Structure formats: C-alpha cells, structure tokens
Amino acid sequence: MKKAIIIGATSGIGQEVAKCLLLEGWKIGVAGRRQSSLENLQRAAPDQIQIQALDVTQEDASEKLNLLIDKLGGMDLFLLSSGIGFQNMDLNMEVELNTAHTNVEGFIRMVDTAFMYFKKNGGGHLVVISSIAGTKGLGVAPAYSATKRFQNTYIDALEQLSHLQKLHIRFTDIRPGFVATDLLNDGKHYPLLMDAAEVGRHISWSLKRKQRVAVIDWRYRILVFFWKMIPRWMWKRLPVKTN
C-alpha cells in the first residue's frame, strides 16, 4: 500500500486531495495545527490515517514531520498544502511578514525535510501547492504573490539539485486559481471561483500523471498563458483587483 504525507489536510484543498487518495487505497499521514480537526479526520478511516499536530512556522516542525513518517511506516508521496495569503493594499507590515514566515520559512522547513527523507530512502514524489499568483506581482497582495513565486523557483532549484545528485525524486508544482476555501472566506468577490472538491480531483489526476507543473483549471491555464506575455510597462497599469 502506497503511503502519502499531507501537510494541511484538515480543511480546503489538502483535505479534498486526502479524500481522493483514501478512495484510491493509499495510507496517509496528516499534519496540521489543530489536534481536534486531525482526530475528526482520522475517525473517517482509522486504519488508513495517521495524524500529527505541527505548525510549519515552528522549529520543531521538521522533527514532528519525521515522527509522522515513522508512524506511517514510510513515505512515497509528500504534499505540502499549507500556506496563508491576504489582500494587503495598505501594506500592513505584520500581515506581510507573517505571510513570508509561513509561505517561505515554513515552506523551506517542510520541503527540505521531505527532500532529505527521499534522498536517504531511494526517492519519492514531492508535491507543493503554490498558486497562479506567482506568475506576476499582484499589487493587491504583494507578499502572497511574491512568496508563491519564491515557491515556484525553489522547486525548480530542488529539481536541479536532485538531478545533480542523481536522486530519484519527482516534483510537481500545483498552481490553482481562486478556490472556495477558508483562505478566501473574507466577504470579497473572486472571479472564476472553483469548488474545492473539484480542484482536489484535478490534483489527484495530475499526481497520477506525474505532471511537473499543473495549473488548475483550463480557464486559469489560458489566463496564465496571456499573463506571461504582458510586458512590465503594461502590467503595472492593469487594475488587477477583487471587489
């Protein structure tokens, strides 16, 4: 039976991917900050699910991730679905720094731990959920879009490092558009909003195909294609915002 670790599966996209993997017969280890939410999830399939409370921003998160891997009996797939993001046109410093704390420091801590496990144990599949927001700098969410671009680049770098060290690690960068999760439950209107369950199924399909980069869904693939073509002088004049 294949084994997967999912960081951030107590709600949203991570939870939907966990449901898909359970239906496919995977054993999964689930990590998140809320112990009660983890226990509720475990009750759904106690024979298939191991849990571990951790906070990616804390220094002991790597140790707790390795503990969860031991509980599960190994790891074939690692999925990081943990991050925060806010619209912050007023540039509230605390918001920007907290976003970087989670999406950069916490990201590095978890991804590097998974990389080192796969390096020592013959390889595996390392997956992160970033965002299409990393395509261009978004004025309404500076730290969020910048940290997502960081994540895209970091995975590129790890893929090259894996190749240089002749490791058998496969990488997938999942880049969704707007998804109806708690992250966007702020009363604002978001265009092209996607259902979390449908996004989870898209991600599961992408993992089976071992795609390197998966932009979800087709509407956002078209959007990102044109975003990349917009020159800087024009991009800064575009009123990219939500209501």
Side-chain angles (χ1 to χ4, degrees):
M1 185 177 290
K2 292 184 178 180
K3 302 177 179 69
I5 297 287
I6 304 178
I7 310 296
T10 54
S11 64
I13 298 173
Q15 186 175 90
E16 297 302 330
V17 176
K19 291 177 182 177
C20 292
L21 294 181
L22 289 171
L23 289 174
E24 294 168 12
W26 286 67
K27 290 184 66 176
I28 64 172
V30 179
R33 290 183 299 173
R34 299 185 298 274
Q35 180 70 27
S36 60
S37 298
L38 294 170
E39 292 172 351
N40 289 336
L41 184 60
Q42 188 179 38
R43 291 190 192 100
D47 294 333
Q48 286 180 261
I49 301 177
Q50 295 291 333
I51 61 174
Q52 177 64 52
L54 65 78
D55 182 340
V56 302
T57 66
Q58 300 301 308
E59 292 184 0
D60 64 356
S62 293
E63 179 183 346
K64 290 182 176 179
L65 173 54
N66 283 320
L67 179 60
L68 179 57
I69 295 171
D70 290 341
K71 289 181 183 179
L72 193 62
M75 177 174 69
D76 303 297
L77 169 71
F78 173 81
L79 171 63
L80 180 59
S81 178
S82 178
I84 60 173
F86 306 93
Q87 293 191 45
N88 189 23
M89 295 177 70
D90 294 329
L91 291 183
N92 181 299
M93 189 70 71
E94 184 178 1
V95 170
E96 297 294 275
L97 292 175
N98 284 341
T99 301
H101 189 38
T102 298
N103 294 357
V104 174
E105 183 179 339
F107 178 90
I108 292 173
R109 185 175 285 116
M110 293 293 90
V111 168
D112 283 10
T113 303
F115 184 94
M116 294 306 297
Y117 173 84
F118 288 141
K119 179 178 180 177
K120 294 176 182 177
N121 291 274
H125 191 177
L126 198 159
V127 184
V128 301
I129 297 180
S130 60
S131 172
I132 65 162
T135 306
K136 292 276 191 179
L138 299 175
V140 295
Y144 181 70
S145 55
T147 57
K148 291 303 175 179
R149 184 60 172 264
F150 169 87
Q151 292 176 359
N152 301 154
T153 303
Y154 201 85
I155 291 302
D156 288 344
L158 288 188
E159 183 178 42
Q160 186 183 74
L161 178 61
S162 174
H163 179 75
L164 290 172
Q165 296 181 349
K166 299 184 178 357
L167 306 178
H168 300 287
I169 304 177
R170 187 179 297 274
F171 296 85
T172 297
D173 185 352
I174 304 290
R175 302 176 184 177
F178 293 131
V179 184
T181 64
D182 291 342
L183 187 65
L184 299 187
N185 187 23
D186 55 8
K188 296 181 174 65
H189 170 72
Y190 292 89
L192 305 179
L193 194 65
M194 298 182 289
D195 176 69
E198 183 64 23
V199 170
R201 288 189 288 271
H202 273 289
I203 293 173
S204 178
W205 181 80
S206 298
L207 298 182
K208 290 176 187 175
R209 293 189 50 148
K210 296 181 171 58
Q211 290 182 306
R212 175 58 182 82
V213 175
V215 177
I216 301 172
D217 61 2
W218 65 270
R219 298 168 299 173
Y220 284 101
R221 286 194 288 274
I222 294 173
L223 181 63
V224 167
F225 174 80
F226 286 107
W227 270 13
K228 290 180 178 179
M229 299 174 64
I230 298 174
R232 185 174 289 108
W233 67 266
M234 182 182 294
W235 178 260
K236 72 178 182 181
R237 291 171 169 81
L238 293 179
V240 179
K241 61 182 179 179
T242 60
N243 297 322

